[in-house]
């Protein structure tokens, strides 16, 4: 890189051919300038993608790539990229890409607005493409696993819109162009559904499922049966999906299994997370990222007791692990400190990552034994509230 | 950071607050979210002929203030604005979520509009999260999980107000 | 504002004409929407303009307007505006304007770059004008009182450039246009000098003074005598100016008086801040904003003992107040906790504001008695390291 | 925040460090700042024919590491880079300030180039400020008070490296 001649010009004038005692070891060799590190296109199973929307500085949101088993910060911190104004993320290991919705203004916090999908190369953490999104529509809120999702075998991206009119923008990842905007009147988010579609969650307590044609146009739209009352028996819009079945927790502590394998979401019979004494103690989910799953077929919920109106967002002191096959809790993990968000890594040796709201540190647990491993902090985090097991 | 103290304040406070959040308000939810217009009903006004004065007690810079029952954000009262006005140089969001909070001063429930002030970055002062009656974004009329700087020139969130729109239906 | 019909449409449907008990007080009246607060064009003497460059989120720098005598955060926090990528500020009370250099990229942290001077209205805290600056030149570093300065009776702004080639951009504040770019080879900053000029500080230990013609072109450029050695006897580039005399502290604890009233900077005889035992203890200035002055003719320095190579930026535990007329210290203020930056308010009852690096809180002292008044914190600050007494 | 712990670490450390920062280095200051080109002199190389290996001990993620004597910034070693390489997706600044640090492993003084990595916002990890030999911006060759993301596509500062350019003149 010719520009590096500058620094040599400056520095070389201060440098001498060495003169030193016989017994001294040889001098360090001059080192090359301009070298940039890279990462593997597919990430190891013990890495996480940690989205810090920086709620005190939202135009400077940060996405960290962390190895949570490494023992030093230098080994833990693999890299980062920015995501502006509470973006939402999705990763495609097959394409070696990470997708991020972003919003910019020409004068930082003011001026003309643009909304973008930025495509990041997983290995170089450089932007390799962008798709201009319809202005002022993309869902912007507490970061969410189901606001930007891969559908159609990972060929397309479904981006949830909320303006507050609701729809979804369908992006083709080969051409990096918008195929269509699908209306989902009153219903939000994009839960992948069927061979080539998604479902959105509606205020009247059911799903609105869409199947798309090969050109991205609407092939079929149908509502599921009503299964909750958004006033009296609300559910969270966050779910763990295992083998095509999405498990939606309710504010009151029920699990609603929803089969998303067919063209239309099909809701199964709900079952309770807490029974007996625990039910009497009003144990229920609470927090930001309250649910995740592992590759062993289990899902995880961040839980608090004494659930009441308004307590569903404050986090909790325990993580409960469930086996959907037996509809039973297989593990109860008492956290070292309060948890506000959880995430679980991929693979056969899952790790549980918990965001501790007091220090905004990340606490690592063995997801099978529940054993505490270590705390990760000091990486410049502000509000790292949505982590995802890397792939 | 006081951000996280707030989380704990909030939790304890929430366990103490159990005001029901049901009522007329929610019946219109689906309609509203569906984007349908709803009929314009008369808005309650203070009877100025009465000698007595309306009662609105409490510290509007405190997260415990009655109007904040459904809020989640930085209080404009701590940011150069007031409980119902925006700080200098910001822009008030025209659409927002609604809460129904009981005024301990007169025992009435009021419809509160939590209009966000936009165009400058996070105020950062007096973060307050109460979430009573809060719902996920599928209930747009009752969700504080989204950035309500919608329909504004800038999408940048600065702080939240809590504006009395009128008296809510009693049940 | 017609757009506010929306919220009425939504809300009014939930509102009833009131029915209530006879003994109840009248109901609260519906309140108007869309009201924005404003400030006075000239600020009271007990207000400060606090620049928080947000070193962990520099594209989201914040400038707070604070009343440091108010007792509650609600009364202290008057307003704020953003300044992107470690800007530099100047205030013109006569024009009711605050000036801020900023840098933006079209994609937040990446993309095409623009450099701007943004003109803020002091009363509305809204941008009322901007001047496009030459790309990639404006001084960008630890915020500095002398990087953007008012000259020519407040008609012009002199903006220091460092790319690292050095110059100054002259902006006319009536036309809001650039008049000229003045070369200051190797010399930086813009210390107002003479009727219509400025001086810059040079690596060879002297000033480079420029006087400008009415059209902003160079009328005269002259170097002062050499008065320090930038290797062995360096001075700080931060000074307090009283009645046209700028007092420049050295790393070693000398005060160099520099007369900036004439066309060329004229350097007077240096005198020591510390004498006797204190001199033996190596008391010297240290910190970020290490010096300021009041309107009573005194200047203030943030001091630490045991000064050594590399300790000039870490701050100190005391503030020393000097009377330049008698070249003597008139006050010694032991801070409640470590200080990293100081600022003094205008007027006959000056207040001393100290940035405490442990909590990044601001501590208020009576500048005459040295008495601690209160701590100001919790206003969302990250690194509020350059405050200025408002006017 | 560890940001401010660092300040105090730093202060104590600095009081312990008293390595002189004078020498050839500074003679060229004015010239350099004046923008004049300076003659290209031969750069020291390790004598690879010697069996012995060069010695470079210490933890490059620690602020105490010898190369950081004049640094002020986030250590790239903690940000996905190394002591002499930039993290993924950033760009190395071509011009920067220079320090002269003594390697305790061989007793030599080396010229260290603190090239910044740019194009992503502050890494935020391992803030380190030592400032030995640091001067205000009027000594461009020795100042760490400026953002050295100069001559890069983006002016956004991410972290700082500490690259060995060669052995400095001994005095």
């Amino acid at each position: 890189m010719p520009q590096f001649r500058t620094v040599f010009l400056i520095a070389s004038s201060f440098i001498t051919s060495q003169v030193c005692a016989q017994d001294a070891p040889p001098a360090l060799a001059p080192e090359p300038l301009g070298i940039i590190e890279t990462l593997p296109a597919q990430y190891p199973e013990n890495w996480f993608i940690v989205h810090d929307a920086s709620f005190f500085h939202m135009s400077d949101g940060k996405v960290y790539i962390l190895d949570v088993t490494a023992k030093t910060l230098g080994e833990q911190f693999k890299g980062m990229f920015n995501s502006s104004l509470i973006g939402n993320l999705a990763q495609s290991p097959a394409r070696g890409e990470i997708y991020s919705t972003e919003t910019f203004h020409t004068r930082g916090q003011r001026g003309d607005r643009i909304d973008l999908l930025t495509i990041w190369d997983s290995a170089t953490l450089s932007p390799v493409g962008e798709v201009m999104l319809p202005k002022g529509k993309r869902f912007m809120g507490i970061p969410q696993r189901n606001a930007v999702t891969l559908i159609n075998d990972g060929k397309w991206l479904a981006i949830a819109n909320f303006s507050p009119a609701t729809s979804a923008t369908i992006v083709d990842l080969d051409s990096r162009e918008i195929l269509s905007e699908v209306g989902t009147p009153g219903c939000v988010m994009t839960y992948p559904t069927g061979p080539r579609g998604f479902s959105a969650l509606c205020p009247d307590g059911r799903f609105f499922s869409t199947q798309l044609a090969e050109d991205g146009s609407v092939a079929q739209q149908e509502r599921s049966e009503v299964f909750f009352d958004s006033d009296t028996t609300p559910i969270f819009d966050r779910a763990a999906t295992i083998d095509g079945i999405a498990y939606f927790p309710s504010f009151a502590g029920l699990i609603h299994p929803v089969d998303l394998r067919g063209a239309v979401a099909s809701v199964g019979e709900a079952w309770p997370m807490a029974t007996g004494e625990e039910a009497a103690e009003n144990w229920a989910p609470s927090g930001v990222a309250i649910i995740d799953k592992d590759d062993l077929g289990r899902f995880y919920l961040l839980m608090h007791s004494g659930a009441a109106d308004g307590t569903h967002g404050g986090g909790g002191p325990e993580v409960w692990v469930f086996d959907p096959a037996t509809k039973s809790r297989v593990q109860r993990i008492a956290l070292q400190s309060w948890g506000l968000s959880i995430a679980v890594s991929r693979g056969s040796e899952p790790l549980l990552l918990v965001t501790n709201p007091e220090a905004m540190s990340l606490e690592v647990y063995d997801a099978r034994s529940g054993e505490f491993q270590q705390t990760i902090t000091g990486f410049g985090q502000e509000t790292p509230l949505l982590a995802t097991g890397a792939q | 950071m006081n951000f996280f103290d707030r989380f704990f304040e909030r939790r304890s406070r929430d366990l103490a607050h159990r005001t029901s959040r049901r009522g007329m308000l929610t019946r219109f939810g689906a309609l509203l979210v569906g984007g349908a217009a709803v009929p314009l009903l008369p808005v309650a006004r203070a009877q100025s002929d009465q000698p007595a004065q309306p009662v609105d007690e409490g510290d509007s810079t405190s997260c415990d203030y009655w109007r904040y029952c459904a809020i989640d954000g930085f209080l404009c009262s701590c940011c150069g604005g007031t409980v119902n006005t925006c700080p200098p140089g910001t822009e008030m969001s025209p659409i927002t979520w609604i809460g129904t909070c009981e005024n301990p001063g007169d025992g009435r429930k009021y419809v509160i509009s939590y209009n966000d002030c936009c165009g400058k970055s996070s105020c950062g002062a007096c973060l307050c999260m109460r979430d009573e009656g809060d719902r996920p974004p599928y209930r747009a009329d009752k969700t504080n999980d989204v950035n309500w700087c919608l329909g504004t020139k800038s999408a940048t969130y600065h702080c939240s107000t809590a504006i009395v729109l009128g008296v809510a239906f009693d049940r």
Side-chain angles (χ1 to χ4, degrees), chain A, chain B:
Chain A
M1 298 156 85
Q3 60 187 2
F4 282 103
R5 282 182 47 257
T6 323
V7 75
F8 278 122
L9 267 177
I10 293 171
S12 55
S13 55
F14 315 134
I15 294 170
T16 172
S17 36
Q18 68 184 98
V19 187
C20 60
Q22 284 304 80
D23 58 357
L28 299 173
E31 298 166 344
L33 293 155
I35 296 176
I36 314 294
E37 299 293 326
T38 60
L39 300 175
Q42 283 76 38
Y43 296 155
E45 291 173 344
N46 52 332
W47 290 15
F48 280 84
I49 298 173
V50 178
H51 183 194
D52 179 344
S54 304
F55 288 152
F56 290 76
H57 305 87
M58 293 193 278
S59 65
D60 191 11
K62 300 176 184 183
V63 180
Y64 298 98
I65 313 297
L66 300 180
D67 174 349
V68 303
T69 54
K71 292 298 163 219
T72 68
L73 189 54
E75 296 167 302
Q76 289 159 357
F77 196 126
K78 296 304 180 186
M80 67 92 100
F81 61 86
N82 293 106
S83 183
S84 179
L85 276 187
I86 32 183
N88 280 284
L89 306 175
Q91 183 191 9
S92 170
R95 294 170 182 270
E97 294 174 343
I98 302 171
Y99 310 100
S100 166
T101 52
E102 299 192 90
T103 296
F104 300 104
H105 297 86
T106 51
R107 295 295 182 265
Q109 315 300 343
R110 62 191 193 276
D112 296 336
R113 167 181 180 170
I114 61 169
D115 296 273
L116 276 185
L117 175 74
T118 305
I119 301 171
W120 295 88
D121 182 290
S122 309
T124 64
L125 295 185
S126 298
V128 291
E130 60 183 34
V131 179
M132 197 68 61
L133 297 175
K135 183 174 172 178
K137 286 187 175 183
R138 65 110 174 160
F139 173 79
M140 195 188 295
I142 304 298
Q144 241 282 3
R145 298 191 203 283
N146 293 291
V148 175
T149 55
L150 288 158
I151 63 171
N152 188 19
D153 261 331
K155 293 190 190 66
W156 296 351
L157 217 50
I159 300 171
N161 296 321
F162 180 100
S163 68
T166 53
S167 63
T169 298
I170 309 300
V171 172
D172 178 280
L173 292 175
D174 290 329
S175 66
R176 294 175 179 171
E177 283 171 2
I178 292 174
L179 291 178
S180 61
E181 181 176 335
V182 178
T184 58
C187 310
V188 285
M189 301 305 160
T190 55
Y191 308 94
T193 302
R196 195 191 294 125
F198 66 94
S199 296
L201 201 44
C202 308
D204 59 354
R206 52 184 168 173
F207 286 98
F208 182 76
S209 299
T210 300
Q211 289 300 308
L212 300 160
E214 286 195 351
D215 64 358
S217 63
V218 171
Q220 176 193 352
Q221 289 190 312
E222 201 170 317
R223 293 177 190 273
S224 75
E225 66 273 30
V226 171
F227 67 103
F228 70 95
D229 179 317
S230 61
D231 294 319
T232 57
T233 58
I235 68 168
F236 288 93
D237 56 350
R238 291 152 264 176
T241 303
I242 298 172
D243 300 331
I245 313 289
Y247 299 91
F248 283 85
S250 75
F251 280 32
L254 292 176
I255 293 291
H256 297 272
V258 181
D259 189 337
L260 299 174
R261 293 171 295 184
V264 182
S266 163
V267 181
E269 196 186 330
W271 49 271
M273 284 178 252
T275 54
E277 195 180 300
E278 289 166 358
E281 293 167 357
N282 283 331
W283 280 89
S286 180
V288 176
I290 56 168
I291 187 166
D292 203 358
K293 57 102 183 270
D294 63 25
D295 288 347
L296 308 176
R298 316 178 314 165
F299 63 85
Y300 300 68
L301 279 146
L302 180 58
M303 303 289 287
H304 76 306
S305 61
D309 180 25
T311 69
H312 56 281
E318 297 192 7
V319 170
W320 291 8
V321 188
F322 293 91
D323 176 354
T326 61
K327 301 179 181 175
S328 62
R329 185 178 69 199
V330 294
Q331 206 171 343
R332 180 178 184 172
I333 302 171
L335 300 175
Q336 292 220 334
S337 56
W338 199 258
L340 188 54
S341 283
I342 63 172
V344 181
S345 65
R346 306 278 72 83
S348 56
E349 298 177 347
L351 298 157
L352 171 67
L353 195 68
V354 180
T355 305
N356 166 7
E358 285 161 289
M360 275 294 137
S361 59
L362 301 174
E363 278 156 6
V364 184
Y365 295 80
D366 179 313
R368 287 165 305 168
S369 68
E371 201 180 300
F372 174 76
Q373 306 288 305
Q374 66 174 340
T375 294
I376 295 176
T377 192
F379 54 95
Q381 77 274 22
E382 188 164 272
T383 51
L385 295 176
L386 184 60
T388 307
Q391 303 178 64
Chain B
M1 281 167 85
N2 73 331
F3 188 98
F4 306 105
D5 304 339
R6 296 289 181 179
F7 269 106
F8 298 98
E9 260 185 49
R10 170 174 174 282
R11 280 182 48 252
S12 46
R13 187 174 39 246
D14 288 342
L15 298 176
H17 283 71
R18 304 236 173 193
T19 321
S20 163
R21 197 90 2 268
R22 303 187 192 91
M24 284 304 291
L25 195 52
T26 56
R27 310 254 169 86
F28 292 84
L31 263 178
L32 159 67
V33 177
V38 283
L40 190 63
L41 302 187
V43 168
R45 301 258 165 210
Q47 287 125 317
S48 47
D49 55 310
Q50 282 192 14
Q53 287 307 303
V55 180
D56 183 354
E57 288 157 350
D59 173 4
S60 69
T61 67
S62 161
C63 194
D64 289 318
Y65 180 56
W66 68 273
R67 295 189 186 197
Y68 299 142
C69 70
I71 208 167
D72 178 350
F74 302 109
L75 303 179
C76 291
S77 300
C78 296
C79 304
T82 70
V83 67
N84 57 16
T85 64
C86 283
T90 62
E91 175 188 16
M92 189 180 283
S93 167
I95 46 178
T96 183
W97 81 103
I98 305 293
T100 304
C101 306
E102 181 168 331
N103 177 1
D106 66 10
R108 294 185 183 85
K109 289 210 177 82
Y110 288 86
V111 175
I112 306 296
S113 176
Y114 298 102
N115 299 72
D116 287 343
C117 302
C118 312
K120 300 186 182 205
S121 66
S122 300
C123 155
C126 297
L127 185 76
C128 173
M129 305 190 181
R130 297 238 324 241
D131 283 351
E132 291 157 38
D134 168 63
R135 295 290 180 264
Y138 62 74
R139 276 298 301 272
D141 59 319
K142 301 180 72 180
T143 190
N144 62 29
D145 286 357
V146 307
N147 173 8
W148 279 102
C149 289
L150 297 170
T152 44
K153 279 195 240 76
S154 166
T156 307
Y157 169 77
H158 185 60
C159 65
S160 299
T161 60
I163 302 176
V164 166
L165 293 181
V167 177
F169 281 111
D170 249 337
R171 351 187 10 255

